[in-house]
Amino acid sequence: MPSSRTSRAPLQRVTRRPPVPRPPRENPLRRLHTRARKAWDRPLTAYYLILGGSLLITVLGLVMVYSASQITALQKSLPGSFFFRKQFLSASIGTLLLLVASRMPVKLHRALAYPILAGCVFLMALVQVPGIGQSVNGNQNWIAVGGSFQIQPSEFGKLALVLWAADLLARKEDKRLLTQWKHMLVPLVPVAFLLLGLIMLGGDMGTAIILTAILFGLLWLAGAPTRLFAGVLSVAGLLGLVLITTSENRMGRLACIGATEPRTGADCWQAVHGIYALASGGIFGSGLGASVEKWGQLPEAHTDFIFAVTGEELGLAGTLSVLALFAALGYAGIRVAGRTEDPFVRYAAGGVTTWITAQAVINIGAVLGLLPIAGVPLPLFSYGGSALLPTMFAIGLLIAFARDEPAARAALAMRQPRFGRKRGGGPSGPGRWNTMRRRVSARSSGER
């Protein structure tokens, strides 16, 4: 029987192409690390970290000062917002100083180094004159300005030491004199010891420790040899040991390290209640304004121990946020000091970074019970205009140095203003042509 025929066309075989191999999927963590690394390497990263980090710390500090100082103000028959208003005024003046410092050229900063140092030495000596100097908590380091306002000249001494030492070391590096140990130490160490002596006359060992940290940071940046560095460190350590052992108050503070309850023979009330405040905060805290320790249990709740109130009200999340902001600020300062070719900028940026980082570590370490209570405020965060004003001026220095990097200058020059453009400057107008010219010149110089 013949085979049946169909009207369908015969099927044609389709040649299959070999499958294209898919690229392997990139690890999400590695991709995130790559993006973060690219973001860190951008020219304006240090600029944004310094500006944003310092402003966030200052704003959060204003909030916590208002929360932590209300009870203290009411106990002194003052309005609840008394300390907040003073801190807000100091922050406003400090913001102006920050803007001025960030716009000043490097030459003007160097020119101001010697007048600022001379003024600080004069004021620090004036503190010891009876009738002029004021004593606060046993330390005579204050001068009454008028009304309830006081200034602490030793806080401005930190800024004076950084600017003057940076200018001195930069001039000696230009003349290639830092290879000799006598030029590295003289007159840097004698002037630093003069400031330390004036501070210790008032009994403020916490500020003296910060100045010593700045001195060692500058010596390390100057490339001091190990023997010289160890020698100066040994002398400073010996003097510190003598000053601690000869003071019953300082020995009591040293005995309170790691204390979890008041000890017999040592007044650890402040240290213990700082730990209580941190322990009762939990992960997210008891809520803003809901601290219990600030109701008279924790001394200096809005100044030296404001970090403890932050931990009680904002919890672990709040304290880690503050630590992250200080870590970002320190990283940005190190980056500015490491990428510049100007020796003055390197020393000044390194000195400011050492100052802020060391002071933050000493304050937070004391609150955590890991270090003795030194009586130093948390930079940009604690109450105190005398500490806030020079610190914000120093932040303005870092911002000016971050803007002055070659890559940062090129990145800022490539930007077009979003507002205030001239009419007629469309896509093909002169504005776009000037931007293209800047890009060509920037690429031709090898900067990205």
Side-chain angles (χ1 to χ4, degrees), residues 73-376:
L74 294 176
Q75 288 175 348
K76 296 181 178 181
S77 301
L78 297 171
S81 61
F82 176 77
F83 294 104
F84 169 75
R85 285 182 293 176
K86 291 182 64 177
Q87 186 73 356
F88 183 79
L89 177 61
S90 300
S92 302
I93 300 174
T95 303
L96 293 178
L97 292 177
L98 185 148
L99 294 176
V100 170
S102 64
R103 294 295 179 177
M104 289 170 54
V106 175
K107 292 182 179 180
L108 185 55
H109 285 299
R110 300 185 69 168
L112 291 176
Y114 284 86
I116 292 177
L117 178 65
C120 287
V121 171
F122 174 75
L123 291 177
M124 291 167 68
L126 200 63
V127 167
Q128 307 305 323
V129 177
I132 298 178
Q134 302 289 328
S135 178
V136 178
N137 295 331
N139 295 335
Q140 188 168 351
N141 288 312
W142 300 81
I143 296 178
V145 178
S148 60
F149 290 92
Q150 296 176 331
I151 62 170
Q152 187 176 1
S154 57
E155 292 290 342
F156 294 87
K158 304 171 187 176
L159 177 64
L161 179 61
V162 168
L163 288 176
W164 174 79
D167 178 70
L168 175 70
L169 294 174
R171 287 189 289 107
K172 289 193 173 186
E173 182 175 333
D174 292 338
K175 297 179 181 179
R176 299 182 180 180
L177 297 176
L178 292 181
T179 55
Q180 304 176 20
W181 67 270
K182 60 180 180 180
H183 285 287
M184 185 174 293
L185 295 183
V186 180
L188 175 60
V189 175
V191 171
F193 276 23
L194 172 63
L195 295 175
L196 290 173
L198 292 174
I199 291 173
M200 289 307 300
L201 284 177
D204 188 3
M205 191 170 181
T207 305
I209 293 175
I210 304 301
L211 248 70
T212 306
I214 294 173
L215 174 62
F216 285 124
L218 292 170
L219 289 176
W220 182 77
L221 287 172
T226 306
R227 291 180 296 175
L228 182 63
F229 200 85
V232 178
L233 182 61
S234 301
V235 173
L238 182 61
L239 291 176
L241 182 62
V242 171
L243 292 173
I244 291 175
T245 54
T246 55
S247 175
E248 184 179 355
N249 182 25
R250 297 188 185 110
M251 287 297 296
R253 293 185 179 187
L254 190 64
C256 292
I257 297 178
T260 56
E261 59 183 9
R263 300 175 181 176
T264 304
D267 187 11
C268 301
W269 182 271
Q270 188 178 24
V272 170
H273 279 272
I275 297 295
Y276 290 168
L278 291 173
S280 59
I283 302 297
F284 298 105
S286 58
L288 193 62
S291 171
V292 176
E293 291 292 334
K294 68 182 180 183
W295 287 78
Q297 298 296 324
L298 180 63
E300 308 296 335
H302 60 297
T303 55
D304 300 344
F305 270 68
I306 193 171
F307 188 76
V309 179
T310 304
E312 185 179 6
E313 294 186 352
L314 302 183
L316 182 64
T319 55
L320 289 181
S321 300
V322 175
L323 291 176
L325 290 174
F326 276 108
L329 196 60
Y331 166 81
I334 294 173
R335 173 172 169 168
V336 171
R339 292 195 174 190
T340 183
E341 297 179 358
D342 189 343
F344 173 79
V345 174
R346 181 170 66 252
Y347 293 125
V352 171
T353 305
T354 304
W355 162 16
I356 296 176
T357 305
Q359 188 165 329
V361 168
I362 291 174
N363 178 275
I364 296 174
V367 174
L368 296 176
L370 303 176
L371 295 174
I373 300 174
V376 296

